[in-house]
Amino acid sequence: MEGTAPIRLSVRDQVLDALRAAIVGGELAPGSVHSAPELCGRYGVSATPVREAMQLLAQEGAVEVLPNRGFRVAARTARDLAELAEVRALLEVPVVLALARTLPSSRWQGLRPLAEATVAAAAGGDRAAYAEADRAFHRALLELSGNVQLVAVADDLHRRAQWPLARPALPARQAALIADATEHSVLLEALIAGDVVTVEALAREHFSGSAWG
């Protein structure tokens, strides 16, 4: 029995990643209800990893558990988005400013590939791929603080901010993804230049808008 546990967990994680991508990408629309058997058929797996993955998504605020029915994809509101942006700004902006005042430009150079990856993902129009690239950039930035707990909390908030609004995502919103990704590159250049005033303005502006509405 002990030898089977890692395989089962691996399947759960694969299902979890697939479900996250389906929700962020709009394949599983906000408000839609999905049973465990349906999702088992969709991903070709047994019920256990599906249920475990959906329970984790419920903890992340992506779905609601409906007893004897399955799971309903959460229908997030514009107010939810604004509140998450406010909390993220309160948490991340002071950290970025502190780092901007203390780290040499060489420490920021390693974030260039991650910033470029967000631009590439946005240009491709894949919201799920952009969600991963977006979080990877922010996570790497905050990891420079050395505060593991901060990174974990911020990453959870960031993921929650990426769940779709109640209305379906429109193709035209690719422009918002591109604008959001471009802000990463501009912010990084300011960090490399040691321009703290510009860093603060850009960081606050980055949280005032959203690519996820």
Side-chain angles (χ1 to χ4, degrees):
M1 293 295 291
E2 291 181 359
T4 63
I7 296 176
R8 182 174 63 82
L9 290 174
S10 176
V11 172
R12 182 206 65 182
D13 291 342
Q14 291 177 32
V15 173
L16 180 60
D17 288 343
L19 286 167
R20 282 172 174 159
I23 292 172
V24 172
E27 295 174 43
L28 299 182
S32 61
V33 177
H34 304 274
S35 67
E38 171 206 338
L39 296 172
C40 290
R42 181 187 183 103
Y43 297 112
V45 297
S46 64
T48 298
V50 167
R51 290 197 176 96
E52 290 179 349
M54 293 303 275
Q55 290 292 343
L56 288 172
L57 286 172
Q59 293 175 22
E60 295 174 2
V63 302
E64 304 168 60
V65 177
L66 302 177
N68 303 316
R69 291 184 59 196
F71 309 89
R72 178 165 52 217
V73 179
R76 195 191 55 174
T77 66
R79 179 168 181 172
D80 294 331
L81 180 67
E83 290 177 349
L84 283 165
E86 181 180 1
V87 175
R88 287 187 61 209
L90 289 171
L91 184 66
E92 294 189 37
V93 172
V95 175
V96 173
L97 288 176
L99 292 173
R101 295 187 181 99
T102 57
L103 292 185
S105 61
S106 58
R107 294 292 302 278
W108 299 109
Q109 296 288 351
L111 272 64
R112 282 190 187 277
L114 294 173
E116 292 167 358
T118 66
V119 174
D126 185 333
R127 290 171 64 89
Y130 182 72
E132 292 299 318
D134 184 27
R135 281 203 333 282
F137 174 82
H138 281 266
R139 187 166 55 246
L141 191 160
L142 294 177
E143 283 173 348
L144 292 172
S145 71
N147 189 324
V148 176
Q149 301 304 319
L150 167 73
V151 174
V153 171
D155 194 55
D156 178 65
L157 288 170
H158 197 165
R159 189 185 294 282
R160 289 172 183 271
Q162 293 174 334
W163 303 131
L165 288 174
R167 65 178 183 277
L170 301 175
R173 297 190 181 277
Q174 180 181 0
L177 298 183
I178 293 173
D180 196 64
T182 301
E183 289 177 359
H184 293 154
S185 296
V186 177
L187 174 62
L188 183 57
E189 292 305 319
L191 287 165
I192 291 171
D195 186 348
V196 178
V197 173
T198 300
V199 167
E200 180 172 11
L202 290 172
R204 295 191 184 285
E205 182 180 354
H206 189 60
F207 288 106
S208 66
S210 173
W212 305 105

